[in-house]
Amino acid sequence: MADNEPVNDLALLLTPEGRALLEEVRDTDPAQELAVATRLRREHPAELVSAALGQARLRQRAVVKFGAEDAERMFFTPNGVEQSTRASVAAYRARRFAELGVTSVADLCCGIGGDAIALARAGIRVLAVDRDPLTAAAARANAEALGLAGLIEVREADVTEVDTAGYDAVFADPARRGGRGRIFDPEAYSPPLSWAVSAARRAPRAAALKIAPGVPHEAVPEDAEAEWISDGGDVKEAVLWFGTEPGAVRATLLPGPRTLLARGLPDPDVRPPGRYLYEPDGAVIRAHLVAEAAEELDGGLLDATIAYVTSDALRPTPYATAYEITDHLPFNVKKLKALLRERGVGNLTVKKRGSAVEPEELRKKVKPQGPHAATVFLTRVAGAPAMLIGHRCE
Ligand SMILES: C[S@@+](CC[C@H](N)C(=O)[O-])C[C@H]1O[C@@H](n2cnc3c(N)ncnc32)[C@H](O)[C@@H]1O
């Protein structure tokens, strides 16, 4: 029964002996793993020892998403760690559900429970469904480990066969990885996005569907709100909301949260480089809200097709990072090398949009040396390859 092996391994870890062993191997240094395994196998069954060491490794990987306190108590599968929603994003979404007056959610495709846990912590009752036996078992173990079993019912089932009628809201996070890596076509998600959209439309109060941030805007249904979310500047996901504001588009930046809403502005004008260059947050770019961010900055674009905003004004904004530009010249490696030498720049950050130059190769060619730091932007100014040099405004 090879198929049951991982489920049995998880069951072993949930026994008192398994829990004690997990505690013992918690901080095992990967370099010492073999020696530790050999020693532990003298006192414990081999499969329990390897399950515990494997789980300890997964918990270490999960710390960035769940924080040490939770990760050290939770149970993971390799895919479960990879695919789960990080706690900050899940908590933000759960708060939105709670603010919509939602008190119960059917979490369709719950994985190891990243979202279900956050929903329960927001006081919401959750039906958490996953068809994979090991994943569902891990979700159940997590609800118990975090003291949330009273609010989370885990069901091992195919979501397309689950009746969600008794729930205020639906949340779905379809699997976006196939045997050959990431899936880009929303109809190739499991279950397909069109199925999830129908389930969302049936939800009495509200629904949210987590999708890839690269989803084309044309794929957003007219009756949905689309929200792109970044955390610490990295874009994490897009969400389609139903039962909120149809047609609304927003970029939400965590921590915060700070939300920029679409105002239907035309594209910003194209202008020559001013004193400051602003690099919009990835969620703002993905949500196509560069015009909304530029308006707040009294800014324009360096090039009609590139999301760098230029302005003579320095305005604090959460939606973009400001750089003061000291030099701007046509792209030329020799000139850049000379300029950096003259300025004593040894710490060079290379950023690029609309340039095919590889930052690492450029760095090798210009060989930065010296005590100062600078950032070079490789981009286009009104269509022509250009370099803008400056430093981040604090
Ligand atoms: C992206 S993960 C969900 C992650 C989860 N939101 C979290 O934060 O932990 C997607 C999950 O969908 C499950 N899945 C895919 N198709 C399914 C189906 N038809 N029925 C039930 N579960 C399904 C997979 O087993 C996988 O665990």
Side-chain angles (χ1 to χ4, degrees):
M1 298 301 276
D3 277 0
N4 283 337
E5 252 177 44
V7 183
N8 293 342
D9 284 353
L10 178 57
L12 285 177
L13 291 176
L14 294 169
T15 62
E17 185 186 5
R19 289 177 191 273
L21 197 58
L22 268 174
E23 193 52 39
E24 197 176 334
V25 301
R26 195 169 76 174
D27 298 318
T28 304
D29 174 355
Q32 299 298 316
E33 213 179 273
L34 203 60
V36 171
T38 309
R39 176 173 58 77
L40 291 173
R41 275 199 208 106
R42 288 188 208 120
E43 293 159 40
H44 303 278
E47 65 270 30
L48 177 59
V49 171
S50 63
L53 286 167
Q55 191 55 240
R57 247 180 278 132
L58 293 174
R59 285 176 168 182
Q60 284 166 8
R61 264 169 56 196
V63 167
V64 285
K65 281 191 172 178
F66 293 94
E69 205 187 323
D70 281 352
E72 279 167 10
R73 286 189 289 164
M74 290 170 68
F75 294 86
F76 299 96
T77 66
N79 283 341
V81 182
E82 201 67 39
Q83 303 187 357
S84 56
T85 307
R86 59 178 46 229
S88 52
V89 178
Y92 162 72
R93 184 174 19 254
R95 264 199 316 278
R96 271 202 83 181
F97 269 122
E99 280 162 15
L100 289 165
V102 165
T103 61
S104 61
V105 170
D107 176 359
L108 308 177
C109 296
C110 67
I112 54 90
D115 285 282
I117 290 163
L119 288 163
R121 281 183 170 159
I124 293 170
R125 188 168 60 84
V126 187
L127 169 65
V129 186
D130 205 288
R131 70 177 172 191
D132 178 62
L134 176 61
T135 307
R140 197 170 291 121
N142 289 336
E144 268 162 32
L146 300 177
L148 299 167
L151 280 168
I152 303 176
E153 178 200 339
V154 177
R155 199 177 297 169
E156 182 192 319
D158 190 308
V159 294
T160 59
E161 288 162 15
V162 170
D163 181 10
T164 59
Y167 294 83
D168 285 349
V170 158
F171 170 67
D173 180 5
R176 286 182 264 135
R177 269 160 232 254
R180 275 182 265 131
R182 279 175 199 266
I183 291 170
F184 294 102
D185 173 10
E187 283 314 291
Y189 291 179
S190 175
L193 185 59
S194 54
W195 179 86
V197 168
S198 324
R201 286 183 179 141
R202 283 195 300 274
R205 218 174 245 276
L209 310 177
K210 174 174 157 183
I211 54 174
V215 69
H217 283 226
E218 305 80 72
V220 175
E222 277 180 9
D223 56 338
E225 171 204 313
E227 178 177 35
W228 275 263
I229 302 176
S230 65
D231 191 6
D234 292 328
V235 183
K236 295 299 175 195
E237 61 183 55
V239 188
L240 301 180
W241 285 93
F242 294 79
T244 56
E245 232 186 295
V249 174
R250 60 168 82 203
T252 296
L253 280 59
L254 302 176
R258 296 298 296 259
T259 286
L260 187 63
L261 267 169
R263 298 195 293 276
L265 298 183
D267 289 343
D269 61 345
V270 174
R271 349 176 156 155
R275 184 160 171 199
Y276 299 100
L277 180 150
Y278 290 87
E279 185 183 29
D281 183 275
V284 171
I285 296 175
R286 295 278 197 173
H288 296 180
L289 298 179
V290 174
E292 278 72 1
E295 193 186 59
E296 289 189 9
L297 301 167
D298 200 7
L301 296 181
L302 290 172
D303 182 279
T305 61
I306 295 177
Y308 279 143
V309 174
T310 183
S311 172
D312 282 321
L314 178 61
R315 301 220 174 119
T317 171
Y319 305 116
T321 307
Y323 292 82
E324 182 165 14
I325 298 302
T326 49
D327 304 86
H328 121 244
L329 48 164
F331 180 74
N332 181 312
V333 177
K334 270 193 190 152
K335 283 200 175 135
L336 180 64
K337 192 172 175 175
L339 190 96
L340 296 176
R341 184 152 302 165
E342 195 184 301
R343 304 273 160 85
V345 172
N347 179 357
L348 182 69
T349 303
V350 182
K351 291 186 168 270
K352 62 167 199 160
R353 278 188 186 281
S355 164
V357 175
E358 282 304 325
E360 259 328 296
E361 281 178 21
L362 181 75
R363 215 189 307 267
K364 273 188 212 145
K365 283 186 192 154
V366 299
K367 298 189 187 70
Q369 277 169 30
H372 301 298
T375 298
V376 59
F377 293 88
L378 307 177
T379 186
R380 291 197 300 268
V381 170
M387 348 186 257
L388 281 78
I389 296 127
H391 55 264
R392 193 175 162 156
C393 303
E394 292 309 330

